[in-house]
Structure formats: structure tokens, C-alpha cells
Amino acid sequence: MTTAIKTVTSGKTTCPYCGVGCGVNLTLPRSATEAVPPVSGDVDHPANFGRLCVKGSSLAETIQSDDRLLTPMVDGQPVDWELAIETVSAKIAQVIKDHGPDAFAFYLSGQILTEDYYVANKLAKGFIGTANVDTNSRLCMASAVVGYKRAFGSDTVPCNYEDLELCDLLIMVGSNAAWTHPILYQRIAAAKKQRPSMKVVVIDPRETATCDIADLHLAIKPGSDAAIFSFLVSDSAQAGILDHDFIDNHTTGFDVALAQANESTPNLSFTAGFCEISAQDLERLASWWRNTAKTVTFYSQGVNQSSSGVDKCNAIINCHLATGRIGKEGAGPFSITGQPNAMGGREVGGLANQLAAHMDFATPGAQGLVQRFWQAPNMATENGLKAVDLFQAMEEGKVKVVWIMSTNPMVSLPDTAQVRRALEKCDLVIVSDCKAHTDTTAMADVLFPATGWSEKDGTVTNSERCISRQRGLLPAPGEAKHDWWAICEVAKSLGFQEAFSYQDVHEIFAEHAALSTFENNGKRDFDIGHFSQITQAEYDALAPVQWPVPKGKSEGTKRMFGDGHFFTPDGRARFIAITPVLPKSQASQEWPFTLNTGRVRDQWHTMTRTGDATSLAKHTAQPYVEIHPKDAKRLGIKDKALVRLTSLYGEALLKAKVSRAVAPGNVFAPIHWTQQFANASVISNLIPQVVDPLSGQPESKHARVQLEAVSDICYGLIVSAVPLVLSDCLYWCQVPSEQGCHYEVVWPNGQTQASLKSIDVEQNQELAEKIEWLEYLNPVTQQMRLAKLVSQKLTLLVYLHPQPEAIMADWLISRLVINTPLSVKDRLAILVGIPANIEDKGEIVCSCYQVGSKQIEKAVESGICSVDELGDKLKCGTNCGSCLPELKRFIPSVAELSV
Ligand SMILES: Nc1nc2c(c(=O)[nH]1)N[C@H]1C(S)=C(S)[C@@H](COP(=O)(O)OP(=O)(O)OC[C@H]3O[C@@H](n4cnc5c(=O)[nH]c(N)nc54)[C@H](O)[C@@H]3O)O[C@H]1N2
Ligand SMILES: Nc1nc2c(c(=O)[nH]1)N[C@H]1C(S)=C(S)[C@@H](COP(=O)(O)OP(=O)(O)OC[C@H]3O[C@@H](n4cnc5c(=O)[nH]c(N)nc54)[C@H](O)[C@@H]3O)O[C@H]1N2
Ligand code: SF4
Ligand SMILES: [Mo]
């Protein structure tokens, strides 16, 4: 990055990762050549009060990337912005003329800012005339949105983060918050520590780090959640804990919903059987529910990513309405959002089945209202295509131009083979991204270089409706431009100059605020009219605030529905009758395993940002599949061995992680690895395009797969001074490392020699003469080690072993860069693989202080018996605290100690 540094030296901004939305202090480097100093948490931000998790703490490491997209590209050639904009707008104009506006689509992301979202939505729905504006949020919280709208008449999150600390019972459903919303999890853990009577229940088929604070873990049959909440409604009626005043005065539909609940889940033992849990455990939950008015149900992707995700959300909401546990301190149904600005997207209406500003196409008068406000020449009149339908229409040739912004559908949409076919068929694929190389930029005809976090300016809304600023403190690299700017330039080039001539981003925010309050008069929940005249200076100084912020209420709104008024036509909340059903994809003889997918602690999505932070790669270096020991034994799969997963749609190669955290018959795999990091581990290859009929959200948590051990192979580790092309490998995974390149590989037996030749083509004749090979073969273990020295310096090291092995890659890599000839001792050590005087840390558990499992085990063996003592000795867990649940597992329980 070469551009000059601005005069400001530091500023407050918001973390670009999860929906907790923590405030971050960013300090600028003193010169363009210096590294960005580590960030810190903003003590004034109401989401985190100064704390950051491990991803947030590592943000500075991810800013200066070598793989930034620095210039617009058309058909693989760098061009200037003018030509790129012209190319795009000419094609859009022609396609609209020939095929109508619905041949164009935006595919956006909960990671763009509200202002970017607003102009994209306005351009498509008011000016081009299509509602084909969908987003990766479809894969994330679409079911939660529809659930809220069915119940409340509006997409309103009732609760706030304080409620998580104030409640007496917290039910966490389908959420691994310890890893995915770490700062909220830490707030919950701290509240529970202070008030041990507070109960936490985790409902998840898998045992996760979140279970660490659970008083009760219900490892239910995958997808059976709705039955639990259906049962809680009928049980509440039987136990006489219904809030009749609330039901009578503020809701409709209770009798029908209760009758359905009684029929679907007639009693405790039926429900426990349906969910495959013990009746005692279910009774424990039910009795806590009966006796605890202050209950929050906190739910995430284990609920939303389901073919009946909306019903599951409403089953949860029904329980809260029936007992009046909503709109009060420490009570409510709390859908937690994943992305930093999934909420902002919902607010502008950036989904294909929304119009704008929390209005739908079907909202009476809404189309006219928005048309008048925008002075729009070509209003869309009906819902557009939801993500999966959109890519299917693309494959059918109906959508001919797609503009993908800030998302990587080649990795995140289900059935990536279909996504590839769709993008191949599409006449013009425009991709706006910060990175040059992603699985999706590889499919683009036109690339727009985007500014990223720390460079771009705007607002995001977190899970508790809190709007806060992301501030552009660093200069844009190369020709990168803000997303809103690129959208407005295309709009102007299409002839819509007047409506898109914003001088600065605060003008977009002001317009968004003005629309939210336009002819609102309390009819719509989303009203931030207070900001409709906001000036640049006020916008720059904007402090975090929770919407609604109508005119005259500048302090915002902490909690919703305290007055029992809802945004339905009659002002009452609606009960929805629910029939619990299981996932569409059920295991069968041919496809005996249920594949569950999700996240790991230290990676974010498709690793385009976290993959740059080498410290974050240490926690989980390679893609894996978690498999129960019984299944592993039956299939002859050893820990760390290569496994092939196959579904009807594709396959993936992953390393086995044999663990009792998953139940027999279930496997779990993380979603993060792309073809940029591993050749054959994209998990969405295996997921069918099965969606919830109401929300269109894919059932990404449940796929049917087969599993097999890959045999006749040899495992390898390669460290190299330069990047290698590993085309001959069956499996390769590049593990981010500080220097050089680190690959984990697998070759078919017998192919190794040929493959080694293919990666080691030394073109330079002069150098070739200075090459020296060190070789070592252990005839007993069949382990082979090869080291290539050029002028006595190590440049390439290959370890081959018939079984998977944990090798101290870090130390080997560090030998690559010493610029002096290798000592005799090191020559020996690299072939043995273990340096004489360096401690093997094992797998890294604490990323902040790089403390590994072997160090922790040693400390525990020496008599340490609490996490606090571990922290005193090794510092692990004393910074961001993200590893605390894992650290606890190293500490022997009282029972174990007494054996
Ligand atoms: N480290 C990290 N944090 C992140 C992200 C990231 O990529 N990395 N991404 C962010 C985003 S966008 C999102 S949406 C959130 C997601 O946050 P979470 O929803 O907490 O994360 P997941 O790991 O996708 O899934 C949560 C849990 O659902 C469980 N589950 C699967 N099937 C079922 C079921 O049928 N019932 C129940 N009750 N549970 C089930 C899984 O076992 C898993 O533990 O995380 C956000 N935070
Ligand atoms: N099987 C399975 N599939 C899933 C899930 C699952 O649990 N299981 N989870 C789903 C969920 S909840 C989500 S949210 C998705 C996430 O999946 P994606 O949205 O596909 O993943 P990201 O890696 O976040 O993609 C963001 C892209 O935007 C780029 N980018 C970052 N900032 C900016 C910016 O400011 N402007 C522009 N133009 N580009 C930017 C990044 O470089 C990156 O390429 O995956 C979904 N897919
Ligand atoms: S919890 Fe971590 S990832 Fe989420 S916003 Fe806060 S610092 Fe960022
Ligand atoms: Mo998400």
C-alpha cells in the first residue's frame, strides 16, 4: 500500500466480524511503510465496554494484505474506473432493454454498510425496476426475519444485550456463542459467575464450547427443536402459568396454536422421544421454564438454517407470548445476528421480499410512498428472487447480469456445482471485493476493487438494534473505491444522475433516515427520523444508539414492545400454530450420516480476512470432520486421517477429528476452507439446495452424506521458501504462516516420486549447481525426509509418512528464513524433525499468547488445577478470554482428582 496517510492518528470504529458489533480503537501507523499497531476495545461502546475477542484483537494483522484487488478489471485486464463503469452500465442497459429489468440482479452481503445497501436497493427497486436484490443474509437470518414478521407484524428484535445478563434462565438454541459471539458469551459467563442461580440451557445436537457454562445440555436429534417449544406451550397451559391478561389484550390466535401444540406434542415422554433426549432432562427444562419469568431464548443458525426454520422461530416466540415474557427486562425471544450489518440490510429492505425501510411490497400504500419519496421512475412492484432461486434462474438464463458484492457464493451457497453452472451461464458477472483471489472473483467478468474495513465510512447495526459507525481511517489502496460510490457511478451512467449524486456518505444516511420517518407516524417500527437532517460533523461524531430513534427521542430505544403494542394491523401479536417436522434430508442406508456444518473459533467465513492473520491459523490449521469414535472405528478411520465425504451433489476431503462431541451417525465440518486454501474441502459442495418455503433459507445444517477412509495414501508436510503449485496432490491445504509457505499434503501411494519432481523444477541452471539434497529414510517406519539446500540455505523441506503425524511445522518454517548456511546441528534436526532445544507446544489453544495444548498439559501435570492458575503461569486466557472454555477442559474435574 503506497498512498499517503491521513493526518488523524487514531479513531473509534466497529469490528467488521460478528453481529455483537464491538467498538474498536484503531491507531494509525506513523508512516505508510509501518505496520498498523494492534487494535484495542472501545471502553465506551455499549456492546463490549472495552473487551475484544481473539478475532477482533487480531484485526491489525489483517489490514495490510498482499492480495488486495487494486484496480478494476474487465475480462482479466486492468482498466480504469471509467471504462469499467461504462462496460457495466452499457450491458445492464442493453439487457434491461432486451429482456426486462428482472434480467438484472444484485447479490449483496450483511458485511456491506447500511449506506452501500441503501443505494443498491434504491437503484434496483426504484430505478432499474427489479426487486432482484438478495443477499447472503438469506443464508443466515432470513428465517428469523419471517418469524418476527409473522408474530409481530414487523422485523423487530425485542431484546438487548443487558437482557442476557438480567435473565434468570437463558435458553441458547442452535448457537455456539462461545466461538461465534464471544463477547456476548463472556458477558453471559460473567453474569452467571456473579449470580450462580442464573441457569443456562444449551440446545444443540453437538457438544460445543458453549456447553461449558450450561447447567443443562440437550443434545437433541438434529432439527427436532420445534417440538421442545411446542411442548413448552402446552406444558405452560397445563401448569397454569399462562399470562391470560397479555394473551387476551395483546395477541391473537392463541387457542388454535395451543390446540396444535397439544396435538403435536401431547406429553413429556412423546416429546422427549421425538427429540431423542431423556424425559428427565426435558422435565428439568420445563420446570425451570415454569418457574422463571425472566427467561430469554437466544437462537441462531441451528434454528434458522432449516427447511422449517421459520416455524422453529415462531415456536420459540409462541412460548414467550403465552407467558407474557416479552418487552420486559431479562425476557424475550432474541434472534442473534451473525454478520456485522445483517441488521442494517434488513433496515434498508435489502432482501428480495422486502421493499424498503421495513416496508414490504404488500404493505398497503408502501409502493406509492417509496415511489414518491425516491421520485422513482421504474418502481418494482413485486418480490424478487431469493438467493437459491436467483442462482437457479441464472442457470436457466433468466438472470443475465449479476452484481455480487462482499460475499463469496462459490463457497457459501449450497450446491456449489450449481452455483458454478449459474455463473458460467450468466452473460455478465460483476464482483466487488477487496481481495483479488477468491473462488468467486475467479468467476467474474468484471472486478470492482472495494475499500474494506478501516478504509470505508458508514454505519452498521448490531444484534441489539444498535447503530454505530465504521470509520474510514486508513487511505484506500490503489484504485479501490467505496461500494456506495461504485453503485452510484453505475446509476449515474444509466441516466439517474439526480437521484444518485451524493457528495458524501452522510447524505445517504440522512436520506435513509428521512425515508424511515416519511409518512410513518408510529406505523412502522423502524424510524430513525432524528437523523434525517444529520450534518457531516454530527455523522462523524455519531455515538452508538439503538433504533428506533424517532424525531424528539435522540437517546434511542433500549427495549421494544414494553407497551404490548405490535405492528400488525390490529396492533396485536400473532400466535402461529406449529407442527414440528424433521429436516428434509434424513439419513438412509445409502447416505447413513447427517452432516452438520458451522464455524470454528478463529476463522471468519471464507477466510478472506482471518486467513491473513497467521496467529489465527494455529487454532485449527486444516479443514476437518468431527466423527464419533464408534463410527470412526467401524469405518477404520483414525484421528487426523484423510476422509472422503460424499453427497448426491459433490464431495470433500477432510481430516478426521475423532470426538465424542458429535453423536454416532452425525458428523460436523467447518465451513471456512475455500479453494484458495485447500484443493478439495469446500463443504457447501455437499449441501443440497433445500430451503424453508417461507424464508427461502437453505437447510445448511443438515445434509446426507457417506464417509470413507481414504486408503493407499501417504501424508506429507512441505515447507517452502516460495509458493508451490501442487497439482498432483490428492489433497493439499495451505496453512497461513509468517514466513515461507506451509502445506499439508496427501499423495496416492506410488505417486510421490513423480510428484516431488513436479514441484521441484529448478529452472535456473546457475542455481541448480548450488543445490544440495539431504535425504533420510527410516526403513522401519517408512518415514522419508528430504531437504533442499541452495548455497547451503534451506529452501524446501518435504516430510512423508504413511500415517498422519503432528510435526512442529513452525520450527521447520523458521529454519527457512535464517539467512545463514544451516549448521550441522540444524541439518540433523530438520531431518529428525525435532530441534534439540525447542519445546513442542502442541496445538495452539490460546491464540493471543500462542500457548499450546502440550504446554497446558504439562502445567496441569505439575499440579495446576484451575484456569486462573494456568493464566498466572502461562498467561493463556488472560487477554481476550476466547479460549477459556477450552482451557477448562484441561483441568481435571474434582471426580477425576479423587480417583
Ligand atoms: N468465529 C466465527 N464467528 C462467527 C462467524 C464465523 O465465521 N466465525 N460467523 C458469524 C455469522 S455470519 C453467523 S450467522 C454466526 C453463526 O453463529 P452460530 O449459529 O452460533 O454458529 P454455527 O457454528 O453456524 O451453528 C451453531 C450451532 O448450531 C448447531 N446445530 C446444528 N443443527 C442443529 C439443530 O438442528 N438444532 C440445534 N438446536 N442446533 C443445531 C451446530 O451444532 C452449531 O454448534 O456466527 C458469527 N460469528
Ligand atoms: N454449509 C454452510 N454454508 C453456509 C453457512 C453454514 O453455516 N453452513 N453459513 C451461511 C452464513 S450464516 C453466512 S453469513 C455465509 C457467509 O458466507 P460469505 O458471505 O460468502 O463469506 P465471506 O467470507 O464473509 O465473504 C465476504 C466477501 O466479501 C469481501 N469483502 C469484505 N469486506 C468487503 C467490503 O467492504 N466490500 C466488498 N465489496 N467486499 C468485501 C471479502 O473479501 C469476501 O470475499 O455463509 C453461509 N453458508
Ligand atoms: S465478539 Fe469478537 S468478532 Fe464479534 S464484534 Fe466483538 S470483537 Fe468482533
Ligand atoms: Mo451469517
Side-chain angles (χ1 to χ4, degrees):
M1 268 178 258
T2 50
T3 349
I5 297 287
K6 283 187 189 173
T7 46
V8 282
T9 53
S10 65
K12 287 177 185 230
T13 183
T14 313
C15 177
Y17 295 123
C18 81
V20 179
C22 297
V24 173
N25 299 314
L26 178 65
T27 308
L28 274 54
R30 277 167 305 174
S31 77
T33 48
E34 264 180 43
V36 177
V39 302
S40 62
D42 174 4
V43 288
D44 298 324
H45 199 288
N48 57 319
F49 301 108
R51 275 165 291 188
L52 291 177
C53 77
V54 60
K55 293 188 300 304
S57 311
S58 314
L59 269 167
E61 278 186 66
T62 67
I63 292 177
Q64 286 147 324
S65 164
D66 295 337
D67 190 38
R68 285 296 295 263
L69 181 60
L70 294 171
T71 167
M73 310 275 282
V74 173
D75 295 330
Q77 296 305 313
V79 296
D80 61 23
W81 270 101
E82 212 180 327
L83 181 62
I85 302 271
E86 238 175 65
T87 309
V88 162
S89 69
K91 181 71 184 180
I92 296 175
Q94 182 226 317
V95 159
I96 299 172
K97 188 161 153 273
D98 296 348
H99 305 280
D102 289 336
F104 172 82
F106 271 117
Y107 186 56
L108 307 173
S109 158
Q111 291 169 79
I112 55 174
L113 306 182
T114 301
E115 293 76 2
D116 303 324
Y117 245 125
Y118 178 83
V119 288
N121 198 50
K122 177 178 175 184
L123 173 60
K125 290 182 186 157
F127 290 76
I128 291 179
T130 178
N132 287 343
V133 180
D134 218 43
T135 138
N136 64 358
S137 295
R138 181 71 58 198
L139 321 175
C140 182
M141 33 49 33
S143 296
V145 172
V146 180
Y148 277 152
K149 281 166 77 169
R150 282 209 298 183
F152 308 149
S154 60
D155 174 19
T156 318
V157 177
C159 313
N160 62 35
Y161 296 162
E162 250 174 40
D163 292 326
L164 300 169
E165 296 163 327
L166 295 172
C167 65
D168 296 322
L169 172 61
L170 177 65
I171 309 176
M172 303 179 83
V173 199
S175 153
N176 183 15
W179 284 7
T180 55
H181 296 98
I183 293 301
L184 274 191
Y185 175 83
Q186 287 177 27
R187 284 179 63 169
I188 296 163
K192 189 166 159 51
K193 196 169 177 187
Q194 208 181 19
R195 206 158 43 83
S197 61
M198 173 182 170
K199 296 269 185 297
V200 176
V201 178
V202 171
I203 304 181
D204 193 314
R206 203 164 61 101
E207 192 191 331
T208 63
T210 304
C211 296
D212 185 47
I213 53 162
D215 299 283
L216 175 65
H217 170 212
L218 298 180
I220 57 168
K221 181 180 170 71
S224 64
D225 305 71
I228 304 243
F229 294 93
S230 169
F231 172 72
L232 287 183
V233 167
S234 45
D235 185 71
S236 300
Q238 278 190 5
I241 60 151
L242 297 175
D243 184 338
H244 290 290
D245 275 354
F246 188 81
I247 294 174
D248 293 346
N249 296 320
H250 301 293
T251 70
T252 56
F254 177 66
D255 293 343
V256 181
L258 176 62
Q260 184 60 55
N262 288 338
E263 193 184 319
S264 300
T265 44
N267 54 47
L268 183 95
S269 64
F270 174 90
T271 311
F274 185 85
C275 300
E276 295 181 0
I277 52 174
S278 75
Q280 289 95 313
D281 279 353
L282 183 56
E283 171 51 28
R284 257 175 109 193
L285 169 65
S287 75
W288 288 344
W289 172 267
R290 281 178 222 129
N291 296 316
T292 320
K294 282 187 162 187
T295 296
V296 171
T297 310
F298 176 99
Y299 52 103
S300 190
Q301 300 313 332
V303 169
N304 296 340
Q305 289 174 344
S306 150
S307 57
S308 59
V310 180
D311 275 359
K312 287 177 184 164
C313 294
N314 285 108
I316 292 170
I317 297 169
N318 283 348
C319 295
H320 284 269
L321 293 176
T323 49
R325 293 174 186 172
I326 187 165
K328 297 172 184 157
E329 270 193 3
F334 197 170
S335 147
I336 193 81
T337 48
Q339 298 181 86
N341 200 31
M343 293 283 278
R346 286 149 73 163
E347 288 148 26
V348 305
L351 285 154
N353 51 337
Q354 300 175 339
L355 173 56
H358 275 206
M359 285 171 277
D360 288 338
F361 286 96
T363 312
Q367 287 184 41
L369 183 157
V370 177
Q371 192 275 329
R372 263 177 285 125
F373 181 85
W374 280 343
Q375 293 292 301
N378 300 308
M379 276 302 289
T381 53
E382 55 187 46
N383 288 341
L385 295 164
K386 301 186 185 109
V388 169
D389 299 335
L390 175 64
F391 280 79
Q392 285 174 357
M394 214 180 286
E395 189 182 358
E396 287 162 19
K398 292 182 190 149
V399 170
K400 293 182 180 296
V401 178
V402 66
W403 188 346
I404 298 168
M405 181 175 281
S406 197
T407 176
N408 201 348
M410 282 292 293
V411 188
S412 52
L413 271 176
D415 191 0
T416 38
Q418 191 282 329
V419 178
R420 175 181 293 279
R421 291 197 301 275
L423 291 174
E424 276 168 358
K425 174 85 184 194
C426 192
D427 288 0
L428 182 69
V429 176
I430 309 152
V431 177
S432 294
D433 208 291
C434 312
K435 287 289 178 124
H437 297 96
T438 75
D439 293 9
T440 302
T441 59
M443 304 296 294
D445 301 298
V446 173
L447 286 171
F448 283 158
T451 51
W453 182 80
S454 76
E455 298 147 9
K456 61 193 294 181
D457 249 325
T459 54
V460 290
T461 308
N462 73 7
S463 293
E464 59 164 359
R465 289 176 281 102
C466 183
I467 298 173
S468 37
R469 283 289 317 273
Q470 267 196 22
R471 291 188 170 85
L473 297 160
L474 286 160
E479 293 299 311
K481 296 279 189 195
H482 305 315
D483 289 315
W484 67 265
W485 179 88
I487 296 164
C488 291
E489 290 306 300
V490 170
K492 287 189 271 184
S493 179
L494 283 167
F496 309 123
Q497 283 88 350
E498 215 176 305
F500 290 89
S501 292
Y502 304 100
Q503 296 306 306
D504 197 86
V505 68
H506 81 277
E507 294 177 9
I508 305 177
F509 184 72
E511 185 180 311
H512 164 58
L515 173 58
S516 77
T517 201
F518 186 59
E519 298 176 12
N520 187 331
N521 306 317
K523 286 199 294 285
R524 308 192 297 269
D525 65 333
F526 183 68
D527 184 343
I528 54 166
H530 173 72
F531 299 118
S532 48
Q533 305 287 327
I534 196 166
T535 62
Q536 167 112 50
E538 287 163 346
Y539 185 72
D540 284 344
L542 186 69
V545 62
Q546 279 173 284
W547 67 257
V549 200
K551 282 185 182 135
K553 200 180 172 202
S554 59
E555 73 284 8
T557 312
K558 278 175 83 166
R559 200 170 280 111
M560 297 295 282
F561 305 134
D563 58 358
H565 173 81
F566 295 88
F567 293 91
T568 48
D570 61 5
R572 287 163 174 266
R574 289 182 288 235
F575 281 94
I576 307 290
I578 299 300
T579 309
V581 292
L582 291 171
K584 283 258 166 61
S585 309
Q586 287 298 315
S588 62
Q589 231 173 353
E590 193 183 353
W591 306 101
F593 286 93
T594 299
L595 169 67
N596 173 7
T597 65
R599 288 147 174 85
V600 300
R601 195 189 74 189
D602 292 1
Q603 291 300 342
W604 175 261
H605 292 174
T606 69
M607 294 169 63
T608 54
R609 203 190 309 271
T610 43
D612 284 336
T614 50
S615 61
L616 295 179
K618 305 267 160 64
H619 181 260
T620 309
Q622 293 185 71
Y624 67 85
V625 56
E626 218 165 22
I627 167 169
H628 191 273
K630 266 193 199 159
D631 291 326
K633 195 168 173 211
R634 192 165 45 81
L635 297 172
I637 294 171
K638 295 216 175 79
D639 196 46
K640 298 195 171 66
L642 192 69
V643 176
R644 178 178 286 110
L645 268 75
T646 318
S647 82
L648 266 176
Y649 307 90
E651 67 167 51
L653 294 172
L654 308 164
K655 294 293 181 77
K657 182 171 179 180
V658 179
S659 151
R660 289 181 193 281
V662 289
N666 293 309
V667 292
F668 173 84
I671 59 172
H672 306 288
W673 279 266
T674 70
Q675 295 199 32
Q676 311 304 312
F677 290 93
N679 66 325
S681 305
V682 174
I683 212 67
S684 295
N685 286 352
L686 303 162
I687 313 285
Q689 295 191 336
V690 168
V691 300
D692 179 294
L694 300 171
S695 69
Q697 179 154 357
E699 190 154 65
S700 313
K701 291 272 179 275
H702 310 283
R704 298 176 309 174
V705 295
Q706 292 171 353
L707 233 67
E708 62 172 334
V710 184
S711 53
D712 216 13
I713 49 176
C714 128
Y715 293 83
L717 167 128
I718 302 178
V719 300
S720 164
V722 292
L724 300 174
V725 179
L726 296 168
S727 49
D728 280 4
C729 293
L730 181 63
Y731 164 93
W732 62 258
C733 170
Q734 176 162 20
V735 184
S737 60
E738 259 139 54
Q739 308 108 1
C741 302
H742 167 190
Y743 304 93
E744 296 286 339
V745 299
V746 173
W747 275 298
N749 271 341
Q751 202 182 302
T752 329
Q753 295 300 337
S755 302
L756 281 178
K757 268 196 199 129
S758 80
I759 60 169
D760 179 47
V761 191
E762 189 58 79
Q763 305 287 2
N764 187 330
Q765 212 30 57
E766 224 173 279
L767 273 187
E769 283 162 20
K770 296 178 183 155
I771 291 175
E772 183 187 354
W773 280 98
L774 309 179
E775 282 186 29
Y776 163 81
L777 173 71
N778 183 329
V780 182
T781 60
Q782 288 300 309
Q783 288 172 333
M784 191 166 139
R785 275 132 200 222
L786 296 167
K788 178 182 166 190
L789 310 187
V790 178
S791 302
Q792 299 185 43
K793 288 170 211 149
L794 181 67
T795 59
L796 177 71
L797 191 61
V798 183
Y799 276 33
L800 297 169
H801 24 266
Q803 300 295 335
E805 272 182 39
I807 303 217
M808 280 182 65
D810 276 358
W811 182 78
L812 296 175
I813 292 164
S814 71
R815 300 298 90 185
L816 281 175
V817 284
I818 45 169
N819 236 351
T820 44
L822 270 190
S823 66
V824 177
K825 207 163 117 200
D826 271 356
R827 280 175 179 235
L828 203 67
I830 54 172
L831 292 184
V832 179
I834 309 163
N837 53 350
I838 305 265
E839 184 188 12
D840 180 1
K841 291 181 175 182
E843 275 172 15
I844 296 297
V845 177
C846 170
S847 296
C848 297
Y849 292 114
Q850 294 289 304
V851 182
S853 57
K854 290 195 179 161
Q855 292 169 291
I856 300 167
E857 278 161 8
K858 222 191 222 170
V860 170
E861 273 164 28
S862 76
I864 277 183
C865 51
S866 77
V867 168
D868 288 344
E869 284 174 62
L870 271 180
D872 290 343
K873 188 170 163 97
L874 301 170
K875 288 179 89 173
C876 50
T878 57
N879 182 38
C880 78
S882 295
C883 62
L884 289 173
E886 282 151 277
L887 289 179
K888 273 198 187 169
R889 295 189 181 183
F890 285 87
I891 305 292
S893 62
V894 179
E896 280 168 322
L897 283 174
S898 60
V899 172

